[in-house]
Amino acid sequence: MSGTTVIDRRDEPLERKFGTDIERFHERNREVMRKAINKEAGDRSFKDIGKKGMYVPIPKESIQEPVIQHAQGTGSIRRVFPGNKFDTGDKIPVGGGGGGGAGGKEASDDDTPGKDDFVWVSPEEFLDILFEGRKLPDMTKLRAEGVHIKEKEHAGFTNVGPSHKMDASLTEKKRKGDEIVLSKSSERRLVKNLTEQFNILAKYDEELPVLDFSKKSRKERIDYASEKLKAVQQRYQINLETDTSKKDNLRPLLEEAVTALKDRLRDKVTDDQDRQRIQVLEERLPEQMKAKEKAGGYRRDHLTYRYDDEIPQPMAKAVMFCQMDVSFSMQEEEKAAAKSFYWLLYNFLQAKYDQTDIVFIAHTTQAWETDEQEFFYGQESGGTVVSTCLEKTKEIIESRYPPSEWNIYCAQASDGDNVLADNALVTSFMEELLEDVQAFYYTEVGRPYGQTLLPIYQEMAQRYQNLHTTRIMEPGQALDAFKKFFPADAAMAAPQP
Amino acid sequence: MTQAKTQQTVPEESKPYYQKIQHLLSHYEEGWDIFINAGRANDFDYPVIRKEGYENDPYLPDTWIGLIDRVCDIIATEEMGLDVYPRRIEIIRPDQMLDVMTTIGLPGSYRHWSFGKDRLMNEEKYNQDKHLAYELVINSVPSIAYCMETNPPFMQALVIAHACYGHNAVFKNNYLFQEFTNAESILQDVERMRDFVFECEETYGRQEVSDFLDFCHAMRFMDVPDTNRKKKLSPRQIEERAKERRMRRHEPTGKEESVFKSVRAAEHFETARIRRDKSGHPHQGEKNILGYMAKHFTHMEPWKRELMRMRSELSEYFKPQMMTKVVNEGFASYTHYKIMSKLFEIGLIDYGMHQEFINSHKGVLIQPSSVRELEHPQTGEMVQVLEPKSINPYTLGFNILMDVERICTEPTEEDKEWFPAIAGNGEPLETVKHIMESCSDETLVERFLSPQVMRDMKLFAVESSKDGGYVEITAIHDDDGFAKVRDILAQNYNLGENLPDVRFYDRQEMGDRCLILRHNSIDGQILDQNETQQVLKHIHRQTKFPVVVESVDDKGKVLQKISSPPNYDYKANANPVHENDNFDLDDLDLDLDGFDI
């Protein structure tokens, strides 16, 4: 009984019962990492959030692990090194920064204080820290109910299927693999069998050589066999095919020799044991030949068929209007907060619809369509007239996104600042817009001050089911806002496409 | 004629190990070819089909890994006569390997941010070069060997021979491991520590526990005793003791106890004072400072003292591994070399697999030279400079052991002169095994580094000079230098040479209870000011008492003094604050256990 157990842990998940060390490391450097990640979230395109990780610089002081040790280069040091090229008494310079010849410490030991170490943060950890451990809503669960079309998609291989789906190259590959292994081993068995027969017969004729193929390569074997079998040829005047150029000839050659010998020597085999043995080997031969012949054949498990699965396709299109005030009153942090929200909404829509368009509308005292870069980083001077933005949205909807075909979502972010006289116009435009759109999300960012849009929208939200409003202060709160818009019972609140 | 020759040396076929392997493999469909076939299929999940009638025999391995292990087992125990612990082979993914590498090399270790840092760095390194250790082995019972799923079949055979039989034999038989480690209970010990840390985190908060563990980690190299005379306990006894300690965790601290003990304490205190006035502190020279604190700093909370004790025991477990790197890797390489060669000799692996093995064996034993030719920045001439490269323990250990084998069988005149005891004794394997059992790195080099190995590896000794930038070659691999090179290399492997030898010196129990440590300086080496200061800060913060470390040379001259708080004059605070006989005993936390009364 052996004292070894083998455990295959390849399918097991990592042990996380007591939390992870990485988690504790993050916890220790939470503040530094949170700052770096919020900044990064503000800087990058919101479509990239959650797709790329990043390097976060960590100040050396906070991850230092002091330990008692010798000061480098003090005292005289005697050491032994390999690879000598000198003679006793030589004085040689030291290269490679291993000051004082302290071997084993040649790794760059730059202890300059203040130099930062960088830690890699994976996309998942990035989101985790950005949203401060709040659980992201499971967007795939919200997948559309109205399924219209099913498409066939390649989804792997099976061993049974209709003949037109057979993958010939894969099937052949499997067969070939088996053939290589099986034919070699069966060939070896045949040669072994024949050699043994030959050797038994050779016992009864002293002039015949004994064959021993062990520890010879294939080439050596055939040379060796033809060399040895020459004796047989001469003695019995048999014409053997001793062409040594083909390595595969070994078995036919042996076969011929053994058959010839048997004809002449069979009666001379006197020992009972030998005779029985030959009989056993002879009986085994056809079986082994059969195995050899079958080695190249197709077997049931070689056959490989392509397998196509039916995938439901929700055929629906959505457009998302991002509307934002780009006047000076919106600061970087406020934009980053808005961006986090847009990211969530965008991902949600992407999970729900097979085509999602995005339209960016920036506005100051007038509104224009723009790209993401300018949308988040452009800084225009001037006041704020919100109604222009709504008007522009309406224009675009009429020209490009007819509500009968498109699911329209609007997400407006603003610090709530607006020219007082414009508020009446805003209300009327909003009323028109709300007729056409699936949902309108208004997020007010930053701290409240003065008179803002929020109360106006809130008042309107009581009349219109599809208008949602909230306030967020920093990126971390975007998820709370999102969750407020899409409560856990998603079927109830999620807008119907 | 060939027959006559084979009769002289016993043919492999008639040796018991060969017959055992033959018997084992006769139960499998593919028999002798099974390893070669798996090698060609490049798949260690290769199906091992047992013959009819044996399909469900629990004594026959049902995986390829199990089968190759069994064959290695037969060769290692039957043919080489190794004595090993039971084994557990775990096949793991790269991310699992990263986890195993991260925690101090023990499965089920406690959680700490510093391990998280290591893990992140390992992971990043892995993402860059996609290279990880092929295996990792734990000194425990059963000995756990982690094998990577990415290893090809020949590599699995190699790592099993290397880890499960090579390292394992060292773990079980080397005297240092026998003295310092308790392989039977280490896994439970580690898990107990993890559970305890987790429990403390829940009770006292993660921050508090993490800070305290920082302190314990800072005490590395000051937490292991010189020798271990402790009685080995069975896992069951250890379990019981741990339970007892755990119960005590919420009991009152020593500070409160001292009220009740004050009468007796006064007497003891006097006796102790008289005794120590004569001959220093009774614990002078103690190397396990963390252990000393755990035992005698009764004013600290019991859970902290328990953690210190656990941490100290853990370090003790690692001490032999630090002292036997060369012996360990050398013997493991020797074992895998022997086993793999045997597999090839008896035709269990084919030429291709053997060639792959030789390649990776060479790769492991690579020894970069410490001398490099550089272009002189000014003159443009080629100059040879010393580029310190540490000696590869695999190479050194393997070379020494292989050479011992040669000395035992075919000694030269030189060998007879150097190694009269073993030269030509005709028992190479027994000699190598004996060396593995009885040597640390230092003694291995001191006793068995032969001139031949020094020549092969071109070893040379240097001495750094005070003027810096230059080193002097003091000895090379020639007749005059052999003994010197050997002695210096042996010294290099003496742990004290590389790690500062810091010991307990005194504790001013009568005064401010300042802890005084002494660093015994060799060749005028002093301590790293910055790092040491940080360590002392940790001690000061956790123990609440000042701490001083002095570097002293062999004549007793103080070379350096580092303290926390900085520039602290402990001698001024050596005496009781109240200079009268009625000083308040309750003010003092007497460590009564400390004195043998």
Side-chain angles (χ1 to χ4, degrees):
Chain A
M1 178 78 206
S2 155
T4 308
T5 28
V6 178
I7 304 176
D8 193 337
R9 293 211 188 274
R10 280 173 289 179
D11 297 330
E12 291 182 14
L14 297 170
E15 212 254 83
R16 292 287 177 261
K17 197 170 143 203
F18 298 89
T20 65
D21 299 316
I22 295 180
E23 182 185 303
R24 281 169 172 74
F25 180 80
H26 284 171
E27 213 165 78
R28 184 180 172 88
N29 300 293
R30 180 125 227 136
E31 209 35 48
V32 182
M33 295 179 86
R34 205 180 62 81
K35 266 189 196 148
I37 281 171
N38 274 347
K39 185 172 179 303
E40 180 70 17
D43 287 350
R44 65 169 65 155
S45 162
F46 77 85
K47 287 182 203 165
D48 282 346
I49 296 177
K51 285 183 190 148
K52 287 191 228 157
M54 72 173 288
Y55 282 100
V56 175
I58 304 282
K60 207 154 195 161
E61 294 81 59
S62 75
I63 52 168
Q64 194 178 30
E65 292 175 273
V67 70
I68 203 141
Q69 56 183 252
H70 283 134
Q72 280 201 24
T74 60
S76 61
I77 295 159
R78 292 184 298 264
R79 293 198 76 88
V80 171
F81 294 110
N84 182 33
K85 285 182 183 165
F86 308 105
D87 208 347
T88 317
D90 285 356
K91 285 197 173 186
I92 49 165
V94 180
K105 279 182 187 166
E106 64 261 38
S108 61
D109 259 12
D110 46 332
D111 275 327
T112 40
K115 193 170 173 284
D116 289 346
D117 273 337
F118 285 83
V119 201
W120 174 251
V121 179
S122 72
E124 299 80 48
E125 287 161 350
F126 186 98
L127 286 181
D128 197 43
I129 295 170
L130 180 66
F131 293 115
E132 304 207 321
R134 295 176 176 89
K135 251 193 138 35
L136 285 177
D138 189 355
M139 290 176 182
T140 47
K141 269 192 200 146
L142 304 175
R143 252 180 181 280
E145 302 81 28
V147 173
H148 308 298
I149 297 167
K150 283 185 176 170
E151 269 185 16
K152 291 210 164 183
E153 235 176 61
H154 178 61
F157 298 95
T158 62
N159 273 17
V160 282
S163 56
H164 71 278
K165 290 243 168 146
M166 189 197 281
D167 189 316
S169 70
L170 260 180
T171 307
E172 176 60 15
K173 213 172 172 182
K174 283 189 186 170
R175 186 199 65 81
K176 190 89 189 165
D178 272 7
E179 188 190 357
I180 290 170
V181 175
L182 288 177
S183 69
K184 260 188 199 150
S185 57
S186 56
E187 177 87 18
R188 204 173 297 141
R189 279 194 205 106
L190 275 170
V191 169
K192 205 173 160 195
N193 185 330
L194 289 166
T195 318
E196 197 178 340
Q197 289 195 33
F198 182 89
N199 285 348
I200 291 173
L201 289 168
K203 273 200 242 170
Y204 297 91
D205 189 339
E206 278 158 11
E207 281 183 35
L208 289 183
V210 175
L211 294 177
D212 180 13
F213 288 113
S214 59
K215 288 184 197 167
K216 289 188 174 61
S217 72
R218 288 178 74 201
K219 178 70 185 143
E220 281 164 11
R221 274 187 211 166
I222 179 79
D223 287 342
Y224 172 78
S226 61
E227 178 73 35
K228 291 272 177 178
L229 290 179
K230 271 190 190 135
V232 184
Q233 239 168 339
Q234 280 164 9
R235 188 166 161 76
Y236 293 106
Q237 302 301 318
I238 323 164
N239 194 18
L240 293 175
E241 180 72 54
T242 49
D243 177 12
T244 58
S245 62
K246 281 188 190 159
K247 292 176 201 153
D248 289 339
N249 280 355
L250 179 59
R251 185 180 47 84
L253 177 65
L254 276 173
E255 220 171 341
E256 224 174 309
V258 170
T259 340
L261 278 185
K262 264 192 215 153
D263 290 342
R264 289 163 176 82
L265 285 171
R266 186 181 282 278
D267 301 336
K268 288 189 192 166
V269 180
T270 45
D271 193 308
D272 256 349
Q273 246 181 335
D274 284 347
R275 198 176 303 167
Q276 274 170 16
R277 184 66 188 157
I278 288 192
Q279 204 175 352
V280 169
L281 291 170
E282 269 176 341
E283 275 166 18
R284 226 178 256 173
L285 207 56
E287 206 178 298
Q288 287 172 336
M289 282 302 271
K290 215 169 148 193
K292 160 85 183 159
E293 275 158 21
K294 275 170 88 180
Y298 287 97
R299 284 208 314 274
R300 187 77 230 160
D301 55 341
H302 292 154
L303 305 180
T304 309
Y305 300 88
R306 287 189 305 278
Y307 177 67
D308 293 346
D309 207 354
E310 286 187 342
I311 309 281
Q313 296 287 326
M315 274 306 289
K317 300 185 281 187
V319 59
M320 170 176 163
F321 285 92
C322 298
Q323 306 155 329
M324 191 161 68
D325 179 3
V326 293
S327 67
F328 272 120
S329 56
M330 285 285 277
Q331 297 302 313
E332 280 291 315
E333 293 152 36
E334 287 157 358
K335 281 183 181 172
K339 196 191 273 184
S340 298
F341 180 78
Y342 289 141
W343 177 76
L344 284 166
L345 186 62
Y346 176 71
N347 275 291
F348 173 71
L349 295 178
Q350 268 209 327
K352 207 163 158 56
Y353 299 99
D354 60 335
Q355 189 191 342
T356 317
D357 277 12
I358 293 185
V359 179
F360 294 100
I361 297 170
H363 72 94
T364 53
T365 50
Q366 45 185 308
W368 65 96
E369 196 180 341
T370 176
D371 58 11
E372 191 189 337
Q373 181 64 26
E374 202 193 328
F375 187 69
F376 286 110
Y377 306 108
Q379 284 262 306
E380 302 288 330
S381 56
T384 315
V385 183
V386 175
S387 64
T388 57
C389 155
L390 299 174
E391 194 181 355
K392 184 82 188 169
T393 309
K394 201 154 168 45
E395 240 176 78
I396 295 173
I397 289 176
E398 271 161 16
S399 61
R400 286 166 25 208
Y401 299 103
S404 54
E405 277 177 42
W406 291 82
N407 295 294
I408 300 163
Y409 293 86
C410 290
Q412 188 182 19
S414 160
D415 55 1
D417 190 21
N418 193 22
V419 176
L420 264 181
D422 187 46
N423 283 352
L425 210 54
V426 167
T427 317
S428 74
F429 272 122
M430 276 301 282
E431 277 167 0
E432 277 178 52
L433 255 181
L434 286 170
E435 297 291 327
D436 291 341
V437 303
Q438 294 290 330
F440 192 107
Y441 302 103
Y442 174 71
T443 41
E444 196 156 293
V445 292
R447 309 207 163 275
Y449 68 95
Q451 195 164 22
T452 67
L453 279 172
L454 193 58
I456 302 168
Y457 279 38
Q458 271 167 345
E459 184 266 319
M460 225 185 300
Q462 289 175 359
R463 285 181 285 133
Y464 291 92
Q465 292 287 308
N466 55 352
L467 175 61
H468 307 271
T469 61
T470 191
R471 170 184 296 284
I472 52 180
M473 315 278 204
E474 53 180 278
Q477 290 176 333
L479 186 64
D480 288 342
F482 187 78
K483 278 189 176 163
K484 195 178 149 200
F485 292 151
F486 302 94
D489 191 3
M492 296 279 293
Q496 300 298 315
Chain B
M1 227 184 88
T2 48
Q3 272 186 349
K5 203 177 177 187
T6 45
Q7 268 168 10
Q8 273 174 6
T9 58
V10 188
E12 296 292 327
E13 285 80 359
S14 59
K15 286 186 185 169
Y17 87 90
Y18 189 92
Q19 282 162 4
K20 266 202 169 178
I21 295 177
Q22 207 165 31
H23 179 250
L24 170 70
L25 293 179
S26 71
H27 296 105
Y28 291 85
E29 286 287 341
E30 285 171 60
W32 212 250
D33 295 331
I34 196 157
F35 300 118
I36 296 178
N37 289 346
R40 293 202 177 136
N42 198 15
D43 179 13
F44 64 80
D45 283 326
Y46 195 79
V48 288
I49 300 152
R50 287 169 286 192
K51 279 192 185 149
E52 229 175 280
Y54 296 102
E55 289 99 337
N56 298 315
D57 189 339
Y59 294 97
L60 294 172
D62 56 354
T63 56
W64 190 84
I65 294 279
L67 195 58
I68 189 85
D69 168 80
R70 183 72 63 87
V71 170
C72 290
D73 186 2
I74 293 169
I75 298 176
T77 51
E78 296 281 323
E79 179 65 2
M80 298 179 69
L82 299 181
D83 175 23
V84 286
Y85 287 131
R87 299 144 302 275
R88 196 164 97 202
I89 297 172
E90 302 199 355
I91 316 282
I92 55 172
R93 299 185 306 266
D95 57 337
Q96 290 167 319
M97 180 56 107
L98 279 169
D99 261 11
V100 176
M101 281 165 67
T102 306
T103 54
I104 42 190
L106 280 171
S109 152
Y110 60 91
R111 304 276 182 238
H112 189 248
W113 64 267
S114 64
F115 304 145
K117 184 181 87 171
D118 294 348
R119 159 87 205 221
L120 282 169
M121 292 190 170
N122 285 339
E123 198 172 335
E124 202 193 318
K125 200 169 152 284
Y126 170 67
N127 285 337
Q128 276 166 12
D129 58 12
K130 292 280 166 218
H131 181 78
L132 277 180
Y134 299 118
E135 48 82 22
L136 201 145
V137 60
I138 311 285
N139 169 24
S140 59
V141 180
S143 168
I144 305 176
Y146 295 97
C147 300
M148 284 273 278
E149 63 164 356
T150 48
N151 294 344
F154 88 91
M155 184 57 92
Q156 298 292 28
L158 193 161
V159 298
I160 287 170
H162 184 90
C164 296
Y165 298 96
H167 283 305
N168 192 342
V170 180
F171 292 154
K172 186 162 184 191
N173 299 296
N174 186 280
Y175 79 103
L176 280 165
F177 286 92
Q178 285 181 347
E179 184 178 340
F180 281 97
T181 65
N182 206 341
E184 284 87 3
S185 67
I186 183 66
L187 294 178
Q188 290 99 306
D189 284 350
V190 172
E191 277 174 18
R192 200 173 297 123
M193 181 161 185
R194 176 195 63 194
D195 293 346
F196 186 64
V197 169
F198 195 67
E199 212 179 297
C200 289
E201 277 180 347
E202 302 219 307
T203 320
Y204 307 103
R206 275 193 185 183
Q207 187 62 41
E208 175 98 12
V209 177
S210 162
D211 284 351
F212 189 74
L213 286 172
D214 285 355
F215 154 70
C216 291
H217 288 194
M219 293 296 286
R220 264 170 303 158
F221 312 131
M222 295 194 285
D223 52 2
V224 195
D226 265 346
T227 51
N228 191 340
R229 304 258 173 266
K230 258 188 273 173
K231 199 176 132 238
K232 283 215 172 147
L233 300 173
S234 71
R236 199 201 164 100
Q237 282 169 308
I238 292 173
E239 180 78 48
E240 275 165 12
R241 284 202 175 188
K243 219 184 252 170
E244 225 172 86
R245 280 211 190 83
R246 208 132 130 192
M247 299 300 285
R248 265 191 272 152
R249 209 189 62 209
H250 294 295
E251 283 180 12
T253 64
K255 190 155 185 163
E256 289 144 78
E257 275 172 31
S258 68
V259 179
F260 304 104
K261 285 185 174 173
S262 56
V263 182
R264 266 181 60 217
E267 293 166 18
H268 295 157
F269 196 82
E270 255 331 285
T271 344
R273 172 146 68 176
I274 294 162
R275 186 181 293 185
R276 62 174 301 175
D277 280 349
K278 282 182 192 157
S279 60
H281 196 283
H283 285 278
Q284 208 170 79
E286 174 67 63
K287 196 133 201 283
N288 183 1
I289 294 158
L290 192 68
Y292 170 85
M293 290 177 175
K295 197 165 179 199
H296 300 294
F297 279 29
T298 46
H299 66 285
M300 291 175 80
E301 288 154 78
W303 67 268
K304 289 187 175 173
R305 292 171 59 200
E306 178 69 7
L307 276 182
M308 292 200 278
R309 196 193 57 79
M310 286 175 152
R311 189 53 215 186
S312 163
E313 279 190 358
L314 209 55
S315 299
E316 225 170 275
Y317 168 84
F318 285 109
K319 179 169 174 164
Q321 306 205 350
M322 289 167 70
M323 290 174 71
T324 58
K325 267 188 196 135
V326 177
V327 176
N328 222 329
E329 296 302 353
F331 189 75
S333 301
Y334 175 84
T335 310
H336 81 225
Y337 186 77
K338 289 276 152 185
I339 292 181
M340 292 301 280
S341 305
K342 197 58 110 186
L343 289 178
F344 181 55
E345 193 184 332
I346 61 177
L348 277 177
I349 58 172
D350 61 3
Y351 183 74
M353 282 170 94
H354 186 253
Q355 205 54 40
E356 282 181 288
F357 152 67
I358 291 291
N359 283 345
S360 59
H361 177 72
K362 274 187 193 154
V364 170
L365 294 193
I366 205 155
Q367 173 66 66
S369 166
S370 286
V371 181
R372 210 165 71 130
E373 291 217 339
L374 276 184
E375 206 171 300
H376 196 278
Q378 275 105 44
T379 59
E381 280 173 52
M382 294 307 281
V383 283
Q384 291 180 326
V385 299
L386 178 73
E387 201 175 63
K389 289 269 158 45
S390 39
I391 292 176
N392 182 346
Y394 291 82
T395 321
L396 183 65
F398 183 73
N399 286 355
I400 292 179
L401 294 181
M402 287 307 271
D403 206 49
V404 164
E405 213 173 55
R406 181 191 61 80
I407 292 167
C408 290
T409 49
E410 296 158 5
T412 60
E413 283 309 309
E414 184 186 51
D415 297 327
K416 282 179 189 157
E417 188 188 316
W418 277 66
F419 304 103
I422 60 166
N425 69 2
E427 290 185 333
L429 189 63
E430 288 309 310
T431 314
V432 168
K433 279 196 301 194
H434 177 73
I435 291 172
M436 172 272 283
E437 285 163 18
S438 59
C439 283
S440 67
D441 287 349
E442 189 185 355
T443 47
L444 175 74
V445 170
E446 205 169 28
R447 287 161 57 196
F448 297 103
L449 178 62
S450 63
Q452 186 58 46
V453 173
M454 286 186 251
R455 269 194 297 269
D456 290 346
M457 293 184 73
K458 295 193 168 65
L459 297 182
F460 64 108
V462 301
E463 185 164 347
S464 71
S465 51
K466 289 268 186 285
D467 54 353
Y470 280 84
V471 290
E472 191 183 334
I473 313 284
T474 51
I476 64 163
H477 45 90
D478 57 11
D479 284 344
D480 299 333
F482 285 140
K484 196 164 181 188
V485 169
R486 183 192 64 189
D487 291 348
I488 293 174
L489 186 60
Q491 282 257 317
N492 288 171
Y493 281 110
N494 181 345
L495 271 190
E497 183 91 341
N498 299 317
L499 300 171
D501 178 22
V502 178
R503 288 165 189 271
F504 179 89
Y505 182 68
D506 200 0
R507 190 170 172 226
Q508 302 190 138
E509 281 105 345
M510 322 263 186
D512 59 352
R513 268 148 290 170
C514 176
L515 178 68
I516 301 159
L517 307 176
R518 273 212 166 162
H519 164 227
N520 298 320
S521 167
I522 303 169
D523 294 332
Q525 273 194 306
I526 55 166
L527 296 174
D528 185 299
Q529 176 81 33
N530 184 23
E531 290 272 322
T532 311
Q533 188 73 55
Q534 300 270 3
V535 173
L536 296 188
K537 213 163 119 188
H538 271 298
I539 301 177
H540 189 180
R541 203 173 72 196
Q542 290 297 342
T543 66
K544 308 278 191 299
F545 296 132
V547 53
V548 180
V549 57
E550 293 175 322
S551 290
V552 182
D553 67 7
D554 45 6
K555 292 185 192 76
K557 191 179 148 211
V558 179
L559 305 172
Q560 182 195 27
K561 203 179 111 183
I562 305 173
S563 67
S564 176
N567 304 321
Y568 184 72
D569 181 14
Y570 65 90
K571 279 179 187 143
N573 298 298
N575 293 314
V577 194
H578 317 288
E579 196 55 79
N580 58 45
D581 287 338
N582 300 327
F583 62 84
D584 189 359
L585 269 171
D586 289 348
D587 260 4
L588 295 177
D589 309 309
L590 295 180
D591 47 347
L592 296 166
D593 311 346
F595 301 100
D596 309 319
I597 303 156

